[in-house]
Short mmCIF file of all heavy atoms in Angstrom, two decimals:
data_model
loop_
_atom_site.label_atom_id
_atom_site.label_comp_id
_atom_site.label_asym_id
_atom_site.label_seq_id
_atom_site.Cartn_x
_atom_site.Cartn_y
_atom_site.Cartn_z
N MET A 6 -20.00 -11.57 64.67
CA MET A 6 -20.31 -10.17 64.50
C MET A 6 -21.82 -9.98 64.76
O MET A 6 -22.65 -10.66 64.19
CB MET A 6 -19.97 -9.73 63.07
CG MET A 6 -20.25 -8.28 62.83
SD MET A 6 -19.79 -7.70 61.19
CE MET A 6 -18.04 -7.55 61.35
N THR A 7 -22.15 -9.02 65.61
CA THR A 7 -23.54 -8.75 65.95
C THR A 7 -24.19 -7.85 64.90
O THR A 7 -23.51 -7.26 64.05
CB THR A 7 -23.66 -8.08 67.33
OG1 THR A 7 -23.07 -6.78 67.24
CG2 THR A 7 -22.98 -8.89 68.40
N ASN A 8 -25.50 -7.74 64.97
CA ASN A 8 -26.22 -6.85 64.05
C ASN A 8 -25.78 -5.40 64.21
O ASN A 8 -25.70 -4.67 63.23
CB ASN A 8 -27.72 -6.96 64.28
CG ASN A 8 -28.28 -8.27 63.80
OD1 ASN A 8 -27.68 -8.94 62.96
ND2 ASN A 8 -29.42 -8.63 64.33
N ASP A 9 -25.51 -4.99 65.45
CA ASP A 9 -25.05 -3.62 65.68
C ASP A 9 -23.71 -3.37 65.01
O ASP A 9 -23.50 -2.31 64.42
CB ASP A 9 -24.94 -3.34 67.18
CG ASP A 9 -26.30 -3.31 67.86
OD1 ASP A 9 -27.29 -2.99 67.18
OD2 ASP A 9 -26.36 -3.61 69.06
N GLU A 10 -22.82 -4.32 65.10
CA GLU A 10 -21.50 -4.15 64.48
C GLU A 10 -21.60 -4.14 62.96
O GLU A 10 -20.89 -3.38 62.30
CB GLU A 10 -20.56 -5.27 64.93
CG GLU A 10 -20.18 -5.18 66.39
CD GLU A 10 -19.42 -6.42 66.86
OE1 GLU A 10 -19.52 -7.47 66.22
OE2 GLU A 10 -18.74 -6.30 67.89
N SER A 11 -22.48 -4.95 62.40
CA SER A 11 -22.60 -4.99 60.95
C SER A 11 -23.35 -3.78 60.40
O SER A 11 -23.27 -3.49 59.21
CB SER A 11 -23.28 -6.28 60.50
OG SER A 11 -24.60 -6.33 60.99
N ALA A 12 -24.04 -3.05 61.24
CA ALA A 12 -24.77 -1.86 60.79
C ALA A 12 -23.92 -0.61 60.78
O ALA A 12 -24.30 0.40 60.18
CB ALA A 12 -25.98 -1.63 61.68
N ILE A 13 -22.76 -0.64 61.41
CA ILE A 13 -21.94 0.56 61.55
C ILE A 13 -21.46 1.08 60.19
O ILE A 13 -21.57 2.28 59.92
CB ILE A 13 -20.76 0.31 62.51
CG1 ILE A 13 -21.30 0.15 63.94
CG2 ILE A 13 -19.75 1.45 62.46
CD1 ILE A 13 -20.26 -0.23 64.96
N LEU A 14 -20.97 0.23 59.33
CA LEU A 14 -20.46 0.69 58.03
C LEU A 14 -21.55 1.33 57.17
O LEU A 14 -21.35 2.44 56.66
CB LEU A 14 -19.78 -0.46 57.28
CG LEU A 14 -19.19 -0.08 55.91
CD1 LEU A 14 -18.14 1.00 56.05
CD2 LEU A 14 -18.63 -1.31 55.23
N PRO A 15 -22.72 0.71 57.00
CA PRO A 15 -23.76 1.38 56.20
C PRO A 15 -24.22 2.71 56.79
O PRO A 15 -24.48 3.67 56.06
CB PRO A 15 -24.91 0.37 56.18
CG PRO A 15 -24.31 -0.93 56.50
CD PRO A 15 -23.11 -0.65 57.35
N VAL A 16 -24.28 2.79 58.12
CA VAL A 16 -24.69 4.05 58.75
C VAL A 16 -23.60 5.10 58.56
O VAL A 16 -23.90 6.27 58.31
CB VAL A 16 -25.03 3.84 60.25
CG1 VAL A 16 -25.30 5.16 60.95
CG2 VAL A 16 -26.22 2.93 60.39
N ARG A 17 -22.34 4.71 58.62
CA ARG A 17 -21.25 5.65 58.34
C ARG A 17 -21.33 6.19 56.92
O ARG A 17 -21.18 7.40 56.70
CB ARG A 17 -19.90 4.96 58.51
CG ARG A 17 -19.36 4.96 59.87
CD ARG A 17 -17.94 4.44 59.88
NE ARG A 17 -17.54 4.18 61.25
CZ ARG A 17 -16.54 3.39 61.59
NH1 ARG A 17 -15.86 2.75 60.67
NH2 ARG A 17 -16.25 3.23 62.85
N ILE A 18 -21.55 5.31 55.97
CA ILE A 18 -21.63 5.72 54.57
C ILE A 18 -22.82 6.66 54.36
O ILE A 18 -22.69 7.71 53.73
CB ILE A 18 -21.71 4.49 53.64
CG1 ILE A 18 -20.40 3.72 53.70
CG2 ILE A 18 -22.05 4.90 52.21
CD1 ILE A 18 -20.44 2.36 53.02
N GLY A 19 -23.97 6.29 54.88
CA GLY A 19 -25.16 7.14 54.73
C GLY A 19 -25.00 8.49 55.40
O GLY A 19 -25.41 9.52 54.85
N THR A 20 -24.38 8.51 56.56
CA THR A 20 -24.14 9.77 57.27
C THR A 20 -23.17 10.65 56.49
O THR A 20 -23.39 11.85 56.35
CB THR A 20 -23.61 9.50 58.68
OG1 THR A 20 -24.56 8.68 59.38
CG2 THR A 20 -23.39 10.79 59.44
N ALA A 21 -22.12 10.06 55.96
CA ALA A 21 -21.16 10.82 55.17
C ALA A 21 -21.81 11.40 53.92
O ALA A 21 -21.59 12.58 53.58
CB ALA A 21 -19.97 9.95 54.78
N VAL A 22 -22.63 10.62 53.25
CA VAL A 22 -23.34 11.10 52.06
C VAL A 22 -24.27 12.25 52.44
O VAL A 22 -24.34 13.26 51.74
CB VAL A 22 -24.10 9.95 51.37
CG1 VAL A 22 -25.05 10.47 50.33
CG2 VAL A 22 -23.13 8.97 50.76
N ALA A 23 -24.99 12.11 53.54
CA ALA A 23 -25.91 13.16 53.98
C ALA A 23 -25.17 14.45 54.32
O ALA A 23 -25.60 15.54 53.94
CB ALA A 23 -26.71 12.69 55.19
N ILE A 24 -24.04 14.34 55.00
CA ILE A 24 -23.26 15.52 55.36
C ILE A 24 -22.70 16.19 54.13
O ILE A 24 -22.78 17.42 53.97
CB ILE A 24 -22.15 15.15 56.37
CG1 ILE A 24 -22.77 14.79 57.72
CG2 ILE A 24 -21.15 16.30 56.53
CD1 ILE A 24 -21.79 14.17 58.71
N ILE A 25 -22.13 15.41 53.22
CA ILE A 25 -21.56 15.98 52.00
C ILE A 25 -22.65 16.63 51.15
O ILE A 25 -22.47 17.75 50.64
CB ILE A 25 -20.79 14.90 51.21
CG1 ILE A 25 -19.54 14.50 51.97
CG2 ILE A 25 -20.45 15.38 49.80
CD1 ILE A 25 -18.85 13.27 51.43
N ALA A 26 -23.79 15.96 50.99
CA ALA A 26 -24.88 16.53 50.20
C ALA A 26 -25.40 17.83 50.82
O ALA A 26 -25.69 18.79 50.10
CB ALA A 26 -26.01 15.52 50.07
N THR A 27 -25.49 17.87 52.14
CA THR A 27 -25.95 19.08 52.81
C THR A 27 -24.96 20.22 52.62
O THR A 27 -25.35 21.36 52.34
CB THR A 27 -26.17 18.82 54.31
OG1 THR A 27 -27.11 17.76 54.46
CG2 THR A 27 -26.69 20.04 55.02
N LEU A 28 -23.67 19.92 52.73
CA LEU A 28 -22.65 20.96 52.53
C LEU A 28 -22.64 21.47 51.10
O LEU A 28 -22.56 22.68 50.86
CB LEU A 28 -21.27 20.43 52.92
CG LEU A 28 -21.04 20.21 54.41
CD1 LEU A 28 -19.68 19.56 54.64
CD2 LEU A 28 -21.13 21.53 55.15
N VAL A 29 -22.71 20.57 50.14
CA VAL A 29 -22.72 20.98 48.73
C VAL A 29 -23.95 21.83 48.43
O VAL A 29 -23.85 22.88 47.79
CB VAL A 29 -22.66 19.74 47.80
CG1 VAL A 29 -22.97 20.11 46.37
CG2 VAL A 29 -21.30 19.08 47.89
N ALA A 30 -25.09 21.39 48.89
CA ALA A 30 -26.32 22.15 48.66
C ALA A 30 -26.28 23.50 49.36
O ALA A 30 -26.75 24.50 48.81
CB ALA A 30 -27.53 21.35 49.12
N ALA A 31 -25.72 23.55 50.56
CA ALA A 31 -25.64 24.81 51.30
C ALA A 31 -24.72 25.80 50.60
O ALA A 31 -24.94 27.01 50.66
CB ALA A 31 -25.17 24.56 52.72
N LEU A 32 -23.70 25.29 49.94
CA LEU A 32 -22.77 26.18 49.23
C LEU A 32 -23.28 26.61 47.86
O LEU A 32 -22.86 27.65 47.35
CB LEU A 32 -21.41 25.50 49.09
CG LEU A 32 -20.67 25.22 50.40
CD1 LEU A 32 -19.41 24.42 50.14
CD2 LEU A 32 -20.33 26.53 51.11
N THR A 33 -24.17 25.83 47.28
CA THR A 33 -24.63 26.14 45.92
C THR A 33 -26.04 26.68 45.85
O THR A 33 -26.43 27.24 44.84
CB THR A 33 -24.55 24.89 45.02
OG1 THR A 33 -25.40 23.88 45.56
CG2 THR A 33 -23.13 24.38 44.92
N GLN A 34 -26.83 26.53 46.91
CA GLN A 34 -28.22 26.96 46.92
C GLN A 34 -28.44 27.93 48.08
O GLN A 34 -27.77 27.85 49.10
CB GLN A 34 -29.15 25.75 47.11
CG GLN A 34 -29.00 24.68 46.08
CD GLN A 34 -29.46 25.14 44.71
OE1 GLN A 34 -30.46 25.85 44.60
NE2 GLN A 34 -28.75 24.74 43.69
N PRO A 35 -29.41 28.84 47.93
CA PRO A 35 -29.72 29.73 49.06
C PRO A 35 -30.38 28.94 50.20
O PRO A 35 -31.15 28.01 49.94
CB PRO A 35 -30.70 30.74 48.46
CG PRO A 35 -31.26 30.07 47.26
CD PRO A 35 -30.22 29.12 46.75
N ILE A 36 -30.04 29.29 51.42
CA ILE A 36 -30.62 28.58 52.56
C ILE A 36 -31.57 29.46 53.36
O ILE A 36 -32.20 28.99 54.28
CB ILE A 36 -29.54 27.99 53.50
CG1 ILE A 36 -28.66 29.08 54.09
CG2 ILE A 36 -28.72 26.95 52.80
CD1 ILE A 36 -27.73 28.59 55.19
N SER A 37 -31.67 30.71 52.99
CA SER A 37 -32.57 31.62 53.69
C SER A 37 -33.96 31.57 53.06
O SER A 37 -34.08 31.71 51.84
CB SER A 37 -32.02 33.04 53.63
OG SER A 37 -32.97 33.95 54.12
N PRO A 38 -35.00 31.41 53.85
CA PRO A 38 -36.36 31.41 53.29
C PRO A 38 -36.71 32.71 52.57
O PRO A 38 -37.54 32.72 51.69
CB PRO A 38 -37.26 31.21 54.51
CG PRO A 38 -36.39 30.57 55.52
CD PRO A 38 -35.01 31.10 55.28
N ALA A 39 -36.05 33.80 52.93
CA ALA A 39 -36.32 35.07 52.26
C ALA A 39 -35.75 35.08 50.83
O ALA A 39 -36.23 35.81 49.97
CB ALA A 39 -35.71 36.22 53.06
N ASP A 40 -34.73 34.26 50.57
CA ASP A 40 -34.10 34.23 49.26
C ASP A 40 -34.87 33.41 48.24
O ASP A 40 -34.82 33.68 47.05
CB ASP A 40 -32.67 33.67 49.36
CG ASP A 40 -31.75 34.60 50.14
OD1 ASP A 40 -32.08 35.80 50.25
OD2 ASP A 40 -30.71 34.12 50.62
N VAL A 41 -35.56 32.39 48.69
CA VAL A 41 -36.24 31.49 47.78
C VAL A 41 -37.45 30.88 48.49
O VAL A 41 -37.48 30.77 49.71
CB VAL A 41 -35.28 30.39 47.28
CG1 VAL A 41 -34.87 29.46 48.39
CG2 VAL A 41 -35.86 29.62 46.12
N ASP A 42 -38.42 30.46 47.72
CA ASP A 42 -39.61 29.86 48.30
C ASP A 42 -39.37 28.39 48.61
O ASP A 42 -39.28 27.57 47.70
CB ASP A 42 -40.79 30.01 47.34
CG ASP A 42 -42.09 29.60 47.97
OD1 ASP A 42 -42.21 29.72 49.20
OD2 ASP A 42 -42.98 29.15 47.22
N GLY A 43 -39.21 28.05 49.87
CA GLY A 43 -39.02 26.66 50.29
C GLY A 43 -37.57 26.24 50.32
O GLY A 43 -36.91 26.20 49.30
N VAL A 44 -37.09 25.96 51.48
CA VAL A 44 -35.72 25.46 51.64
C VAL A 44 -35.75 24.15 52.42
O VAL A 44 -34.95 23.92 53.31
CB VAL A 44 -34.81 26.50 52.33
CG1 VAL A 44 -34.55 27.69 51.44
CG2 VAL A 44 -35.41 26.97 53.65
N TRP A 45 -36.68 23.29 52.08
CA TRP A 45 -36.88 22.03 52.79
C TRP A 45 -35.66 21.13 52.72
O TRP A 45 -35.41 20.35 53.63
CB TRP A 45 -38.09 21.29 52.24
CG TRP A 45 -37.93 20.95 50.80
CD1 TRP A 45 -38.32 21.70 49.74
CD2 TRP A 45 -37.31 19.79 50.27
NE1 TRP A 45 -37.98 21.08 48.56
CE2 TRP A 45 -37.35 19.90 48.85
CE3 TRP A 45 -36.72 18.67 50.82
CZ2 TRP A 45 -36.84 18.92 48.02
CZ3 TRP A 45 -36.20 17.70 49.98
CH2 TRP A 45 -36.26 17.84 48.60
N TRP A 46 -34.89 21.22 51.63
CA TRP A 46 -33.73 20.35 51.45
C TRP A 46 -32.71 20.55 52.55
O TRP A 46 -32.04 19.62 52.98
CB TRP A 46 -33.10 20.58 50.08
CG TRP A 46 -32.70 22.00 49.88
CD1 TRP A 46 -33.43 22.98 49.26
CD2 TRP A 46 -31.51 22.63 50.33
NE1 TRP A 46 -32.76 24.17 49.31
CE2 TRP A 46 -31.57 23.99 49.96
CE3 TRP A 46 -30.39 22.19 51.02
CZ2 TRP A 46 -30.57 24.90 50.25
CZ3 TRP A 46 -29.39 23.09 51.32
CH2 TRP A 46 -29.49 24.43 50.92
N PHE A 47 -32.55 21.79 53.01
CA PHE A 47 -31.55 22.06 54.04
C PHE A 47 -31.98 21.42 55.36
O PHE A 47 -31.17 20.80 56.04
CB PHE A 47 -31.36 23.57 54.22
CG PHE A 47 -30.20 23.91 55.11
CD1 PHE A 47 -28.90 23.70 54.69
CD2 PHE A 47 -30.41 24.42 56.37
CE1 PHE A 47 -27.83 24.01 55.51
CE2 PHE A 47 -29.34 24.72 57.20
CZ PHE A 47 -28.05 24.51 56.76
N GLY A 48 -33.24 21.54 55.71
CA GLY A 48 -33.76 20.89 56.93
C GLY A 48 -33.66 19.39 56.84
O GLY A 48 -33.30 18.72 57.80
N ALA A 49 -34.00 18.85 55.67
CA ALA A 49 -33.92 17.40 55.48
C ALA A 49 -32.47 16.92 55.60
O ALA A 49 -32.20 15.88 56.20
CB ALA A 49 -34.49 17.01 54.13
N GLY A 50 -31.54 17.67 55.04
CA GLY A 50 -30.13 17.31 55.14
C GLY A 50 -29.62 17.37 56.56
O GLY A 50 -28.85 16.51 57.00
N LEU A 51 -30.04 18.39 57.30
CA LEU A 51 -29.63 18.50 58.70
C LEU A 51 -30.19 17.36 59.53
O LEU A 51 -29.48 16.78 60.36
CB LEU A 51 -30.07 19.84 59.28
CG LEU A 51 -29.25 21.05 58.90
CD1 LEU A 51 -29.86 22.31 59.50
CD2 LEU A 51 -27.82 20.90 59.34
N VAL A 52 -31.45 17.03 59.31
CA VAL A 52 -32.06 15.92 60.06
C VAL A 52 -31.33 14.61 59.74
O VAL A 52 -31.02 13.82 60.65
CB VAL A 52 -33.56 15.81 59.76
CG1 VAL A 52 -34.14 14.51 60.28
CG2 VAL A 52 -34.30 17.00 60.34
N ALA A 53 -31.03 14.38 58.47
CA ALA A 53 -30.32 13.16 58.07
C ALA A 53 -28.93 13.11 58.69
O ALA A 53 -28.48 12.07 59.18
CB ALA A 53 -30.24 13.06 56.56
N SER A 54 -28.23 14.23 58.68
CA SER A 54 -26.87 14.28 59.23
C SER A 54 -26.86 14.07 60.74
O SER A 54 -26.07 13.27 61.26
CB SER A 54 -26.21 15.62 58.90
OG SER A 54 -26.14 15.81 57.51
N ILE A 55 -27.75 14.76 61.43
CA ILE A 55 -27.79 14.65 62.89
C ILE A 55 -28.24 13.26 63.32
O ILE A 55 -27.65 12.67 64.23
CB ILE A 55 -28.71 15.75 63.48
CG1 ILE A 55 -28.06 17.12 63.28
CG2 ILE A 55 -28.99 15.49 64.96
CD1 ILE A 55 -28.97 18.29 63.58
N SER A 56 -29.26 12.73 62.66
CA SER A 56 -29.71 11.39 63.04
C SER A 56 -28.66 10.33 62.72
O SER A 56 -28.52 9.35 63.45
CB SER A 56 -31.04 11.04 62.38
OG SER A 56 -30.90 10.96 60.98
N GLY A 57 -27.89 10.54 61.66
CA GLY A 57 -26.81 9.61 61.35
C GLY A 57 -25.72 9.63 62.40
O GLY A 57 -25.22 8.58 62.81
N VAL A 58 -25.34 10.81 62.83
CA VAL A 58 -24.31 10.93 63.87
C VAL A 58 -24.80 10.31 65.17
O VAL A 58 -24.06 9.56 65.83
CB VAL A 58 -23.90 12.41 64.07
CG1 VAL A 58 -23.05 12.59 65.31
CG2 VAL A 58 -23.17 12.93 62.84
N LEU A 59 -26.04 10.60 65.54
CA LEU A 59 -26.58 10.00 66.77
C LEU A 59 -26.69 8.48 66.63
O LEU A 59 -26.44 7.75 67.60
CB LEU A 59 -27.95 10.60 67.09
CG LEU A 59 -27.95 12.08 67.50
CD1 LEU A 59 -29.36 12.59 67.67
CD2 LEU A 59 -27.12 12.30 68.75
N GLY A 60 -27.05 8.01 65.46
CA GLY A 60 -27.11 6.57 65.22
C GLY A 60 -25.76 5.91 65.36
O GLY A 60 -25.63 4.81 65.90
N LEU A 61 -24.72 6.58 64.85
CA LEU A 61 -23.37 6.04 64.99
C LEU A 61 -22.93 5.96 66.44
O LEU A 61 -22.33 4.98 66.86
CB LEU A 61 -22.37 6.88 64.19
CG LEU A 61 -22.35 6.62 62.69
CD1 LEU A 61 -21.45 7.64 62.00
CD2 LEU A 61 -21.88 5.21 62.40
N VAL A 62 -23.24 7.01 67.19
CA VAL A 62 -22.90 6.99 68.63
C VAL A 62 -23.60 5.82 69.31
O VAL A 62 -22.99 5.06 70.07
CB VAL A 62 -23.27 8.34 69.29
CG1 VAL A 62 -23.18 8.25 70.80
CG2 VAL A 62 -22.40 9.45 68.76
N PHE A 63 -24.88 5.65 69.02
CA PHE A 63 -25.64 4.55 69.61
C PHE A 63 -25.06 3.20 69.23
O PHE A 63 -24.87 2.32 70.08
CB PHE A 63 -27.10 4.66 69.15
CG PHE A 63 -27.95 3.49 69.55
CD1 PHE A 63 -28.40 3.36 70.84
CD2 PHE A 63 -28.29 2.52 68.63
CE1 PHE A 63 -29.19 2.29 71.22
CE2 PHE A 63 -29.07 1.44 68.98
CZ PHE A 63 -29.52 1.32 70.28
N LEU A 64 -24.78 3.00 67.94
CA LEU A 64 -24.26 1.71 67.49
C LEU A 64 -22.88 1.41 68.06
O LEU A 64 -22.59 0.26 68.42
CB LEU A 64 -24.22 1.67 65.96
CG LEU A 64 -25.58 1.58 65.28
CD1 LEU A 64 -25.42 1.74 63.77
CD2 LEU A 64 -26.28 0.29 65.61
N HIS A 65 -22.03 2.41 68.16
CA HIS A 65 -20.70 2.18 68.73
C HIS A 65 -20.78 1.80 70.21
O HIS A 65 -20.05 0.93 70.67
CB HIS A 65 -19.80 3.41 68.54
CG HIS A 65 -19.18 3.48 67.19
ND1 HIS A 65 -18.14 2.66 66.80
CD2 HIS A 65 -19.44 4.26 66.12
CE1 HIS A 65 -17.79 2.94 65.58
NE2 HIS A 65 -18.58 3.92 65.13
N ARG A 66 -21.67 2.47 70.93
CA ARG A 66 -21.84 2.13 72.34
C ARG A 66 -22.37 0.71 72.53
O ARG A 66 -21.92 -0.02 73.39
CB ARG A 66 -22.76 3.12 73.03
CG ARG A 66 -22.09 4.42 73.32
CD ARG A 66 -22.95 5.28 74.20
NE ARG A 66 -22.28 6.55 74.46
CZ ARG A 66 -22.87 7.61 74.95
NH1 ARG A 66 -24.15 7.56 75.26
NH2 ARG A 66 -22.20 8.71 75.14
N ARG A 67 -23.35 0.35 71.69
CA ARG A 67 -23.91 -1.00 71.81
C ARG A 67 -22.89 -2.07 71.39
O ARG A 67 -22.86 -3.16 71.94
CB ARG A 67 -25.16 -1.14 70.93
CG ARG A 67 -26.31 -0.32 71.40
CD ARG A 67 -27.47 -1.09 71.91
NE ARG A 67 -27.62 -2.41 71.42
CZ ARG A 67 -28.77 -2.98 71.14
NH1 ARG A 67 -29.87 -2.26 71.26
NH2 ARG A 67 -28.84 -4.21 70.78
N ALA A 68 -22.07 -1.75 70.39
CA ALA A 68 -21.08 -2.73 69.91
C ALA A 68 -19.98 -2.94 70.95
O ALA A 68 -19.38 -4.01 71.00
CB ALA A 68 -20.49 -2.26 68.60
N GLN A 69 -19.72 -1.94 71.80
CA GLN A 69 -18.68 -2.08 72.81
C GLN A 69 -19.12 -2.94 73.98
O GLN A 69 -18.28 -3.41 74.74
CB GLN A 69 -18.26 -0.70 73.33
CG GLN A 69 -17.46 0.08 72.32
CD GLN A 69 -17.13 1.46 72.81
OE1 GLN A 69 -17.64 1.91 73.83
NE2 GLN A 69 -16.29 2.18 72.08
N ARG A 70 -20.39 -3.17 74.15
CA ARG A 70 -20.87 -3.99 75.27
C ARG A 70 -20.53 -5.42 75.12
O ARG A 70 -20.45 -6.07 74.22
CB ARG A 70 -22.37 -3.88 75.40
CG ARG A 70 -22.81 -2.57 75.97
CD ARG A 70 -24.25 -2.73 76.30
NE ARG A 70 -24.91 -1.43 76.29
CZ ARG A 70 -26.19 -1.32 76.51
NH1 ARG A 70 -26.93 -2.35 76.72
NH2 ARG A 70 -26.74 -0.14 76.54
#
């Protein structure tokens, strides 16, 4: 098993946690800057979710080689 293959499960778990946390926060907290002062959590959650998905795509492609 290569390093890329062994990294897939932790990246999947982290990405799932990031997506779930972003969805829960988006449903329970305001996401509009006009509603509250500072909505950094939503941006941080989106960055974590998007980078996790892109990381999974990268790792799957490398593992298939």
Side-chain angles (χ1 to χ4, degrees):
M6 181 178 283
T7 66
N8 288 339
D9 292 332
E10 291 171 340
S11 64
I13 291 174
L14 181 60
V16 173
R17 273 188 192 160
I18 293 169
T20 302
V22 168
I24 290 170
I25 291 169
T27 302
L28 290 174
V29 168
L32 295 174
T33 61
Q34 303 292 322
I36 61 171
S37 171
D40 293 340
V41 67
D42 189 29
V44 291
W45 61 269
W46 57 265
F47 189 71
L51 283 177
V52 168
S54 300
I55 292 169
S56 65
V58 169
L59 292 175
L61 281 173
V62 169
F63 173 76
L64 289 172
H65 278 286
R66 283 190 181 165
R67 293 248 335 217
Q69 288 177 350
R70 286 192 205 178

